[in-house]
Amino acid sequence: MLGTIIFNALWVGFLGGILASLVRIGWEQLFRTEEDKKTEALSIGGGVFIDFSRGIFVLSSIVLSIVFIIWANYDSSITQGSGTLFGLIVWIIIDQIYRVLKKEKQFFWHLPWQQTVAEIVGFLLWGWAIYLVAIGLPISGVYF
């Protein structure tokens, strides 16, 4: 039973994580500032650049999607709000606690309110996209 849940969570989480990361990256593109556009990218030649921060975001999105699916199989209360509750929890833990402690960014009350609202909505959409993939593939074990 546990092996089946984990196996299904791996491949559904992989798909959900990729889709959710693309949704969030697309959302961020609407609200980028000049400071955000100055990312470090590695040129591999021929005008092709690799942005490692986006790659790490996609990988972490896949891992968190797998965590969401396994969590939802054992405690369906995390699916309240159609996955947006999970997105809000991730925003608080990752963006407001972890990244602030590492001094990568400031607390949200030190940022312009427009940037904070755009980040929160981005995380809510991210969590919702994971939820939609999970319920769209019934083998994940996540239901309404």
Side-chain angles (χ1 to χ4, degrees), residues 27-41:
W27 178 260
E28 288 176 353
Q29 294 299 318
L30 294 173
F31 302 101
R32 290 182 60 98
T33 61
E34 288 298 321
E35 196 173 290
D36 293 336
K37 291 179 184 175
K38 298 175 184 173
T39 61
E40 294 181 19

Side-chain angles (χ1 to χ4, degrees), residues 80-118:
Q80 297 295 319
S82 301
T84 57
L85 175 65
F86 182 68
L88 187 63
I89 290 170
V90 169
W91 177 72
I92 291 169
I93 292 172
I94 303 280
D95 216 44
Q96 294 304 306
I97 295 174
Y98 177 73
R99 290 184 68 198
V100 169
L101 289 176
K102 284 188 65 179
K103 298 188 186 324
E104 291 179 4
K105 65 180 297 185
Q106 299 175 342
F107 278 114
F108 68 92
W109 58 75
H110 295 294
L111 299 172
W113 67 269
Q114 299 93 335
Q115 183 179 354
T116 302
V117 169

Side-chain angles (χ1 to χ4, degrees), residues 22-31 117-119 121-122 125:
L22 292 176
V23 166
R24 179 132 189 279
I25 288 170
W27 178 260
E28 288 176 353
Q29 294 299 318
L30 294 173
F31 302 101
V117 169
E119 284 183 8
V121 171
L125 290 172

